[in-house]
Amino acid sequence: MALHEQYMTEALKEAEAALANGEFPVGCVMVAGGRIVCRGHRKNSCEVGENEIDHAEILTLRSLLAETPDFNCSTLTVYSTMEPCLMCYSAMLLSGIRTLVWGYEDVMGGGTNLPLAQLNPLYAEMEVKVIDSILRQQSLHLFQKFFRAYPYLQKSLLSQYTLAQSLEKIR
């Protein structure tokens, strides 16, 4: 578990950078062969250029593939401070990624509980490893700070759920 915490700490640094820029604090790192090969965070969640496409996982994957177009994504483990949404989860699966690690659950739009075996063959035959709640409290803390300061998703189920969570002592 210590290795997962090490890489999630790096994803948290990306999330902190997003938060410092007034963005939704989702950070992502992609690891292959025991090293971080790409990192990124959420952009355009607030103010000018606001959109629902520039998620941390999508931007990080695009950056990796722009730098190394023939990268074998099946070797990646993706660390994200929030459970990937359906868009990000599907994009990673279709890119060949089969191992995902996340910190804080997205009770409103998380996609990792999608019953792949019940879908069409493209997805039904995929074997995916999902590891959840790694450094959850640290991720929760960032999302609480965000929801107390910014209007993005302010009245959503995610915001209400997040703000209702108590923070246990962060290690």
Side-chain angles (χ1 to χ4, degrees):
M1 207 49 85
L3 197 56
H4 290 316
E5 290 176 354
Q6 173 189 336
Y7 292 125
M8 188 60 73
T9 297
E10 294 301 314
L12 283 161
K13 289 177 185 176
E14 288 296 322
E16 289 166 354
L19 183 59
N21 290 322
E23 298 287 354
F24 196 54
V26 180
C28 177
V29 296
M30 297 186 173
V31 176
R35 67 180 184 87
I36 296 172
V37 295
C38 203
R39 59 177 58 232
H41 56 267
R42 178 72 158 98
K43 293 184 179 174
N44 299 316
S45 59
C46 299
E47 308 283 330
V48 178
E50 182 177 343
N51 70 67
E52 287 303 327
I53 299 170
D54 293 338
H55 289 199
E57 299 90 344
I58 297 293
L59 294 175
T60 306
L61 184 57
R62 281 183 181 216
S63 178
L64 174 64
L65 295 175
E67 293 173 20
T68 317
D70 59 346
F71 193 90
N72 180 0
C73 291
S74 70
T75 65
L76 289 172
T77 298
V78 175
Y79 292 82
S80 181
T81 57
M82 177 170 266
E83 177 185 6
C85 70
L86 284 173
M87 174 183 70
C88 294
Y89 187 50
S90 296
M92 289 186 286
L93 292 178
L94 291 172
S95 296
I97 298 167
R98 296 295 183 266
T99 306
L100 300 124
V101 182
W102 52 262
Y104 184 63
E105 63 274 13
D106 182 349
V107 297
M108 187 172 78
T112 63
N113 64 350
L114 187 66
L116 296 177
Q118 295 176 17
L119 299 178
N120 290 327
L122 175 65
Y123 294 100
E125 296 170 4
M126 292 180 179
E127 292 183 27
V128 181
K129 182 176 182 180
V130 176
I131 301 165
D132 62 24
S133 302
I134 301 298
L135 299 182
R136 181 187 183 274
Q137 291 296 108
Q138 290 85 337
S139 293
L140 169 61
H141 179 68
L142 293 178
F143 290 109
Q144 286 180 330
K145 284 174 69 173
F146 178 84
F147 284 128
R148 288 185 184 116
Y150 298 99
Y152 180 72
L153 298 176
Q154 192 61 51
K155 295 183 182 189
S156 68
L157 170 64
L158 180 60
S159 172
Q160 293 168 8
Y161 174 82
T162 299
L163 293 173
Q165 300 291 306
S166 64
L167 275 174
E168 297 169 12
K169 184 177 179 184
I170 298 175
R171 295 186 256 159

